[in-house]
């Protein structure tokens, strides 16, 4: 069974800092990896999708990378802002019909 | 939001009563999912559907049943609610195929079993 881990569980940074969130998975036979943002009491918002044949995807200040062979992905957030404060989750899609989620990293950006 | 609506958004119910949560989508996607989210456990798959009347179990399906009689609606039923089923329930759909498969989520239903 696919296991997805996100470290750290919580992160607090001052505004303006660049930061990296980590996601690791045990089974490298994935179709893709997706990063989500979740605000308190809300649903998950898709941020980036990296297909297994890709190495990275970028959207604005966000850059996600994927190293499938080592079972790792990182989400880089540049010039963090207080509005970036949220929980960030990663999910992998295997060859079956399921998505497997990490438990998330809770990010606080301090003004 | 990929046209996903969950109802109700909040519900308090008593132990032993049946509860049905509804997920409605507007874009006729084939795959629909029900997850529960609990502190320390992340999102765990309860059931999913790959078409009308086609469903399968996820990792935490005990105590839950689902039905999909129309493409746009996926119902989750707690047959006899227990306190351990207090959770936030999310419906999701997936678009695309193979590597381009992408998941989108509803806003969630907060269920409290007392």
């Amino acid at each position: 069974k696919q296991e997805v881990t996100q470290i750290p569980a919580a992160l607090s940074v001052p505004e303006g800092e660049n930061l990296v969130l980590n996601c690791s998975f045990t089974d490298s036979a994935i179709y893709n990896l997706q990063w989500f943002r979740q605000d308190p009491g809300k649903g998950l918002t898709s941020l980036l999708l990296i297909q297994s044949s890709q190495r990275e995807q970028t959207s604005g200040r966000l850059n996600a990378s994927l190293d499938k062979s080592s079972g790792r992905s990182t989400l880089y957030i540049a010039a963090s802002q207080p509005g970036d404060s949220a929980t960030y989750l990663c999910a992998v899609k295997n060859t079956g019909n399921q998505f497997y989620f990490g438990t998330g990293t809770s990010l606080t950006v301090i003004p | 939001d990929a046209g996903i609506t969950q109802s109700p958004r909040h519900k308090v119910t008593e132990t032993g009563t049946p509860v049905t949560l509804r997920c409605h989508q507007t874009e006729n996607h084939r795959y629909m999912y029900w997850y529960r989210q609990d502190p320390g456990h992340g999102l765990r798959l309860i059931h999913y559907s790959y078409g009308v009347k086609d469903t399968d179990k996820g990792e935490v399906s005990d105590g839950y049943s689902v039905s999909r009689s129309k493409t746009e609606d996926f119902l989750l039923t707690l047959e006899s609610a227990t306190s351990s089923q207090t959770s936030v329930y999310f419906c999701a759909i997936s678009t695309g195929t193979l590597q381009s498969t992408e998941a989108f989520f509803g806003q969630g239903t907060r269920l409290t079993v007392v």
Side-chain angles (χ1 to χ4, degrees):
Chain A
K1 180 191 170 221
Q2 178 75 270
E3 300 285 343
V4 181
T5 303
Q6 292 187 247
I7 295 173
L11 181 64
S12 184
V13 300
E15 181 178 0
E17 190 164 298
N18 303 325
L19 60 101
V20 174
L21 307 180
N22 298 295
C23 173
S24 61
F25 46 95
T26 55
D27 183 353
S28 62
I30 64 170
Y31 274 141
N32 61 42
L33 185 145
Q34 197 170 352
W35 282 94
F36 295 88
R37 169 188 173 133
Q38 185 177 28
D39 294 289
K42 304 291 187 182
L44 282 70
T45 299
S46 180
L47 296 174
L48 289 164
L49 174 74
I50 311 177
Q51 298 183 13
S52 60
S53 58
Q54 299 173 326
R55 293 298 299 247
E56 65 178 66
Q57 281 287 330
T58 298
S59 176
R61 295 183 293 109
L62 305 180
N63 176 276
S65 68
L66 175 63
D67 184 343
K68 199 174 74 159
S69 61
S70 67
R72 291 187 298 182
S73 176
T74 61
L75 179 66
Y76 174 84
I77 302 177
S80 58
Q81 303 171 358
D84 295 330
S85 298
T87 296
Y88 292 81
L89 298 101
C90 66
V92 298
K93 173 77 165 56
N94 279 34
T95 54
N97 295 308
Q98 298 187 25
F99 298 85
Y100 294 90
F101 285 83
T103 53
T105 295
S106 177
L107 173 66
T108 301
V109 180
I110 303 166
Chain B
D1 65 358
I4 304 168
T5 304
Q6 291 186 232
S7 58
R9 293 293 313 281
H10 302 272
K11 186 170 182 66
V12 179
T13 192
E14 294 186 349
T15 299
T17 61
V19 177
T20 296
L21 309 183
R22 179 180 184 243
C23 178
H24 178 79
Q25 59 148 330
T26 59
E27 299 181 4
N28 292 321
H29 295 293
R30 180 182 173 195
Y31 283 89
M32 300 184 74
Y33 306 80
W34 277 107
Y35 288 88
R36 61 179 288 174
Q37 185 176 38
D38 305 287
H41 290 279
L43 281 110
R44 293 180 290 174
L45 182 66
I46 306 171
H47 283 277
Y48 68 97
S49 170
Y50 46 97
V52 173
K53 293 184 169 36
D54 292 322
T55 65
D56 206 350
K57 296 179 180 180
E59 65 176 300
V60 291
S61 60
D62 287 347
Y64 301 94
S65 63
V66 290
S67 66
R68 193 166 177 201
S69 59
K70 297 185 291 184
T71 300
E72 58 266 35
D73 290 325
F74 192 32
L75 305 181
L76 176 71
T77 297
L78 287 65
E79 294 142 7
S80 177
T82 68
S83 58
S84 65
Q85 293 176 312
T86 292
S87 185
V88 180
Y89 291 85
F90 286 101
C91 174
I93 60 94
S94 65
T95 65
T97 59
L98 301 177
Q99 290 192 44
S100 68
T101 304
E102 188 168 0
F104 294 92
F105 282 78
Q107 289 300 297
T109 294
R110 183 172 296 275
L111 177 68
T112 302
V113 183
V114 298

